[in-house]
Amino acid sequence: MAVQKLKVVLTRRLPDVIETRMRELFDAELNLDDRPFTTDELKAAVARAAVLVPTITDRIDADVLAQAGENLKMIANFGAGVDHIDVPAAVERGLIVTNTPGVLTEDTADMAMALILAVARRITEGAELVQRGDFHGWTPTWMTGRRIFGKRLGIVGMGRIGQALARRAKAFGLSVHYHNRKPVSPRIAEELDATYWDNLDQMLSRMDFVSINCPHTEATHRLLSAERLTKLQPHAVLVNTARGEIVDEAALAAMVSRRELAGAGLDVYEHEPAINPALLGHPNVVLLPHMASATLEARVDMGERVILNIKTLQDGHRPPDRVIPAML
Ligand code: 8YV
């Protein structure tokens, strides 16, 4: 008997190769003009789809989920983070929620390392200066940054991405420290030569660099509160490639403006795509447009993960990347 193809609604454009495969395997509805869905369009999508494929630009809250049609079985998120989806509300309705873990780990860790280097070594500042035609000759005291080698990096969240960053950091001669819900396995701790801090404040007050690599959940919302940010040393640099909501952005901006922090490297923001204006215009703050996982390879791998999850469901099995509320 032929398998009934699932009605799959994609909210954004995905790489051609992914869209084409989706059309082959499913009754897939593409969004060729790539305009983000409005809330009403999201409600209409969940009403007609068997599987919705959203991205971080879609807010799938309880209100949207309340419009789910009888056919809706799964929210197959294109992305690792699921903080834009009300997962408990979805699961309560009997829906499966999946994500794309593992496939953007290395690219995101690369970008965290790149931000550490960019801020400490003033890379974007130097590059912009040359483009402006302001390189008039070398001097011994000009454009001095800070050395990475031999310093301490504190990683907040030692999951896949945190560990991938730790491997890079070790190769750069940084000593690795981390805060996590629980310590990593002794094998990984030994491989990374990593020091565990169960007390985040204590770690923050001792680090030269701090990188945020945990998911955004209720427990990590504003984990780096205004109060906690004051624990950082004035020469420290904060890097965030996870979610803006984990850091009190206004407090961070104020600290950078008052020179209470040496610098920051941010790929994510509390109210994306809006950026707190107080963060702008500081040469020691490197700001990127949420592009840590933006490699063609990652986007294709993410799409393939989404396809695997939907295909497994279509074939009558349990999709591999299910997100359950207890994981959050
Ligand atoms: C993705 C991300 O680009 O996967 C994530 O959680 O933050 C990004 O790197 C985006 O979420 C795609 O939906």
Side-chain angles (χ1 to χ4, degrees):
M1 204 179 71
V3 177
Q4 172 85 32
K5 285 188 175 181
L6 290 174
K7 170 91 175 162
V8 176
V9 177
L10 280 64
T11 65
R12 302 302 299 262
R13 280 228 64 173
L14 298 184
D16 278 358
V17 60
I18 297 301
E19 291 182 342
T20 308
R21 193 72 187 124
M22 291 238 190
R23 296 279 298 185
E24 287 169 353
L25 293 170
F26 317 120
D27 173 11
E29 197 183 297
L30 311 179
N31 175 6
L32 292 181
D33 66 9
D34 202 25
R35 186 180 51 74
F37 281 18
T38 62
T39 303
D40 283 345
E41 287 168 336
L42 282 174
K43 288 178 177 170
V46 294
R48 69 179 181 276
V51 178
L52 182 76
V53 180
T55 73
I56 192 176
T57 54
D58 305 302
R59 180 139 301 279
I60 315 293
D61 56 18
D63 233 32
V64 168
L65 290 165
Q67 302 306 313
E70 273 185 7
N71 287 335
L72 189 69
K73 294 186 174 49
M74 181 157 93
I75 312 286
N77 187 51
F78 181 87
V82 289
D83 54 334
H84 54 293
I85 301 172
D86 189 335
V87 178
V91 170
E92 177 109 11
R93 302 189 76 87
L95 301 174
I96 296 170
V97 178
T98 59
N99 67 342
T100 61
V103 290
L104 32 76
T105 305
E106 304 302 332
D107 297 319
T108 306
D110 281 346
M111 200 60 99
M113 195 67 224
L115 282 171
I116 291 170
L117 289 164
V119 178
R121 301 302 309 276
R122 305 174 65 178
I123 295 174
T124 46
E125 206 186 329
E128 283 168 9
L129 175 151
V130 173
Q131 290 286 346
R132 281 199 310 270
D134 285 343
F135 180 36
H136 305 298
W138 185 88
T139 87
T141 54
W142 194 50
M143 287 305 284
T144 49
R146 298 304 298 266
R147 179 183 293 159
I148 304 268
F149 188 90
K151 300 284 169 61
R152 294 193 173 96
L153 167 66
I155 298 177
V156 181
M158 198 62 146
R160 290 186 185 88
I161 298 172
Q163 290 174 32
L165 172 61
R167 286 191 189 94
R168 286 156 176 75
K170 207 182 158 203
F172 274 87
L174 283 154
S175 65
V176 174
H177 295 244
Y178 71 101
H179 170 78
N180 202 37
R181 274 190 288 202
K182 52 182 178 24
V184 294
S185 71
R187 185 187 60 77
I188 293 174
E190 195 187 327
E191 178 209 331
L192 301 173
D193 203 3
T195 303
Y196 177 60
W197 294 88
D198 58 348
N199 185 311
L200 177 57
D201 290 357
Q202 286 181 14
M203 182 180 86
L204 293 179
S205 65
R206 292 167 165 85
M207 295 298 114
D208 304 301
F209 298 94
V210 170
S211 174
I212 312 293
N213 296 102
C214 58
H216 173 224
T217 63
E218 259 174 47
T220 65
H221 187 78
R222 296 240 173 137
L223 182 65
L224 272 82
S225 59
E227 154 76 15
R228 204 163 252 148
L229 284 167
T230 64
K231 309 284 179 213
L232 290 165
Q233 305 189 83
H235 74 266
V237 169
L238 180 75
V239 161
N240 188 2
T241 51
R243 283 290 181 272
E245 293 93 329
I246 300 167
V247 179
D248 185 328
E249 193 174 283
L252 174 66
M255 283 179 74
V256 171
S257 307
R258 294 195 298 258
R259 299 208 143 286
E260 291 165 2
L261 207 58
L266 307 176
D267 184 49
V268 287
Y269 306 91
E270 211 174 334
H271 305 289
E272 254 174 67
I275 297 183
N276 188 319
L279 281 172
L280 303 172
H282 305 288
N284 55 339
V285 177
V286 176
L287 303 174
L288 298 177
H290 197 146
M291 57 187 269
S293 71
T295 65
L296 181 57
E297 291 87 344
R299 294 293 181 247
V300 171
D301 290 351
M302 289 161 77
E304 280 173 358
R305 235 26 245 188
V306 171
I307 289 174
L308 175 71
N309 281 302
I310 305 174
K311 182 78 170 69
T312 313
L313 178 80
Q314 184 165 278
D315 293 346
H317 306 293
R318 279 153 64 91
D321 301 320
R322 290 183 313 282
V323 178
I324 50 168
M327 288 160 66
L328 303 174

